[in-house]
Amino acid sequence: MWTDQSLGRMAQIAKKTKRYPSDLTDEEWDRIAPLMPKPGRRGRPREVDFREVINAVRYLVRSGCGWRMLPIHFGAWQTVYGWFRELARRFLFQTIHDIELMLDRERQEREASPSAGVIDSQSVKAPSAEKRGFDAGKKVVGRKRHIAVDTDGRLLMVNLTTADISDSAGAQTILDGIRKRWPWIKHLFADGAYDRLKLMDKASYLDFVVEVIRRSDQQQGQGSAPTMGRRADLWLDDPMAPIGPRLREAHRRLAGHDTSRQPMGFYAPAQIVRDARNHGVDVRPVSINHSHWDCTLEKMRGRYMAVRLGFRSVRGLANAHGAAIVAARGPAPYESVEDVWRRAKVPRAAIERLAEADAFHCLAQDRRQGLWKVKGLGEAPLPLFAAADARAGHFSAEGQEPDVTLTPMSAGREVVEDYRSTQLSLRGHPLQFLRAELDAMRIVRCGDLPSIRDGSNVELAGVILVRQRPGSAKGVLFVTIEDETGVAQGILWPDRFEIYRRQVMSASMIAMRGRLQKEGEVIHIICDRIVDHDAMLRSIGRMEFTVAPGRGDGASHGGGPDPRDPAFLSGRTLSPPPFTTRAPQDELLPIRSHDFH
């Protein structure tokens, strides 16, 4: 006779026995059980079995049946569906996937978080899908899966679109997701379909290196051979770049003073250039009349030579366009922006990249004046003016834009644009414009740490240069920050890192508060607190002048809030700020950090 005791014993046996291939094993359930929502303190006791809910979801995915076709021993389908929506709202399935992936990597004796991945796509037929598209390359009507996997094939990210979306466009969402969920990934492999300017620019902005793997003509059908494609690295990533022996000596001195003894690839371009200038090396900016594609040495007074930055340091400028500009220049320097446009015969976008890098300063054209001149150019010279200029042997004034006096950029804005175009600035350090505000917050300078007593509680701020989390450190994170006076090293223990993961991994400028630890010349900060100061860093690039439009300016400026409205002064209007030149996210300095683990 069946009793409650025997029924309970059989229920336990049935739970340990897999009824379907999709059911969880005891080992799998033990790993995800702590992630389930805890019962509430009030109300009726919870009766649902989360293990059965997960089993039901796995059964539905594997079998492809509908919710109403679930077997009854999983429970009422309404209950299963309701909890499925609730768990999906809490991102539980995404969390389970990420934890299982990291545990599987650790079982293979790999780091839990990958540092490299592969992006690809696949078009599949979807006759019953509501939204479909046509993939012209593969002749498929349906949907496309854009995926990212680690180097062992584990799924990291997926983006489902219609099949007509290009690979490079769908991969942009993948890059955003990887930056949030897998911040340690820095290197991505892709095929030739991803070698597109917009994707590469976004990858460079998000601090990714995308290596394009191509298939040579001799190896068609024999597997692909990796060849180096477009990279987001700058010229200083190459230790053999033509930077001169004195700059190499400056770097050796830097390595001698730095406690971490890092190789060349650990340093940001701005850091190496700044240290070289501190040791007497004259570094000169990009110039339309003096720069070549590579960095070159120029004669100067004395027995030393100066370093001239090359066109390769300008973000978004192609090698072919830089070579065409140098070849057309020859022994005769350019006289104006129009002269570059007509002689070099390069696209206007290439000249605009140079203007953004302030390459026309040698022509008495600052960055804003140069951009104004470039905006007045066309894609190609007009045939009438080109023929007249060819006969006259010089450029006529009719085909040139009239001179206009524009308000110069502020010093802070110039530094922001330098970092945006070349990843370094010869005008100054970004934090020197924030020093008064930092002093009011009692934040010390990095250069003052040697004179502070060991064991003191200090707070210092700077831009992040390097994040290191080596596998032998058992979860300890090492952070290197820099201000206008020097660099400082911070240490985050694993418990502190879990608390301040978002701030330390996503911010470009942080403040570290903790205890100073000194051992000879080695100085560290044992961090207790991390503060995100990206809002302060963003304020450097804002305009220093404001213009409040009047009510009659609507026809010229597209309307705006009424300055007599009380809400105008409090900033509660629905209209955008007047005369905003860039989106707020573009005001942030794109300072790249070098992350290793």
Side-chain angles (χ1 to χ4, degrees), residues 259 450 454 517-524:
T259 59
D454 182 23
Q517 187 180 78
K518 302 172 70 175
E519 184 70 26
E521 295 184 358
V522 180
I523 302 176
H524 292 291

Side-chain angles (χ1 to χ4, degrees), residues 161-461:
T161 65
T162 56
D164 57 337
I165 301 299
S166 64
D167 294 352
S168 59
Q172 297 188 30
T173 305
I174 295 292
L175 295 183
D176 290 331
I178 291 177
R179 173 55 60 231
K180 295 178 181 178
R181 288 176 58 183
W182 305 101
W184 293 111
I185 292 183
K186 295 299 179 183
H187 203 111
L188 294 172
F189 299 92
D191 57 24
Y194 294 90
D195 190 7
R196 299 295 182 268
L197 181 60
K198 287 186 177 180
L199 179 63
M200 292 299 174
D201 285 346
K202 183 164 187 175
S204 177
Y205 182 78
L206 295 177
D207 198 16
F208 286 112
V209 174
V210 179
E211 182 173 344
V212 178
I213 308 299
R214 304 185 186 276
R215 181 173 301 186
S216 62
D217 296 337
Q218 293 81 7
Q219 293 175 330
Q220 292 288 343
Q222 301 177 4
S224 60
T227 58
M228 187 62 66
R230 186 194 300 256
R231 295 175 61 92
D233 297 338
L234 296 178
W235 62 277
L236 284 172
D237 291 329
D238 182 9
M240 300 307 295
I243 56 180
R246 197 173 184 205
L247 184 56
R248 295 193 186 97
E249 176 64 24
H251 176 261
R252 284 195 290 269
R253 295 179 182 178
L254 173 64
H257 287 290
D258 189 34
T259 59
S260 59
R261 308 279 180 172
Q262 297 166 340
M264 174 72 91
F266 274 71
Y267 298 107
Q271 185 182 6
I272 300 178
V273 170
R274 191 175 300 113
D275 186 81
R277 299 178 73 189
N278 293 338
H279 288 86
V281 179
D282 184 13
V283 182
R284 298 175 178 177
V286 178
S287 173
I288 191 65
N289 280 332
H290 303 91
S291 294
H292 295 263
W293 177 252
D294 291 323
C295 302
T296 56
L297 298 177
E298 295 182 352
K299 293 183 179 180
M300 56 182 297
R301 292 181 180 179
R303 61 190 183 95
Y304 295 115
M305 304 186 74
V307 177
R308 173 70 68 178
L309 298 181
F311 289 144
R312 67 181 307 162
S313 61
V314 178
R315 178 188 177 190
L317 182 64
N319 190 348
H321 298 157
I325 293 173
V326 174
R329 182 178 63 198
Y334 294 113
E335 299 179 356
S336 63
V337 177
E338 292 85 356
D339 192 11
V340 179
W341 175 57
R342 298 185 183 184
R343 288 168 55 182
K345 295 181 174 57
V346 296
R348 188 183 67 177
I351 305 178
E352 187 173 352
R353 299 289 86 79
L354 292 171
E356 291 174 350
D358 199 15
F360 295 102
H361 65 277
C362 60
L363 305 177
Q365 301 280 351
D366 60 12
R367 178 179 278 110
R368 184 165 286 169
Q369 293 286 156
L371 285 172
W372 176 268
K373 291 284 188 180
V374 173
K375 294 297 184 181
L377 302 177
E379 290 299 330
L382 296 177
L384 180 62
F385 291 112
D389 295 341
R391 289 193 302 268
H394 60 83
F395 299 113
S396 59
E398 288 79 4
Q400 301 183 11
E401 286 287 325
D403 293 335
V404 180
T405 302
L406 301 176
T407 304
M409 290 185 178
S410 63
R413 189 68 189 183
E414 290 281 4
V415 171
V416 171
E417 294 300 329
D418 285 343
Y419 272 90
R420 195 182 308 280
S421 56
T422 61
Q423 278 295 302
L424 58 93
S425 177
L426 302 179
R427 292 180 171 87
H429 194 276
L431 262 68
Q432 73 184 51
F433 303 99
L434 305 173
R435 181 48 58 187
E437 188 174 354
L438 296 175
D439 289 342
M441 301 168 61
R442 298 182 179 181
I443 294 179
V444 301
R445 295 173 171 84
C446 294
D448 297 338
L449 291 180
S451 60
I452 300 177
R453 181 174 54 87
D454 182 23
S456 303
N457 290 323
V458 297
E459 183 177 6
L460 63 160

Side-chain angles (χ1 to χ4, degrees), residues 144-148 155-160 170 173-174 181:
K144 181 178 290 187
R145 295 191 289 254
H146 307 269
I147 63 172
L155 183 64
L156 300 175
M157 194 72 56
V158 61
N159 177 30
L160 186 62
T173 305
I174 295 292
R181 288 176 58 183

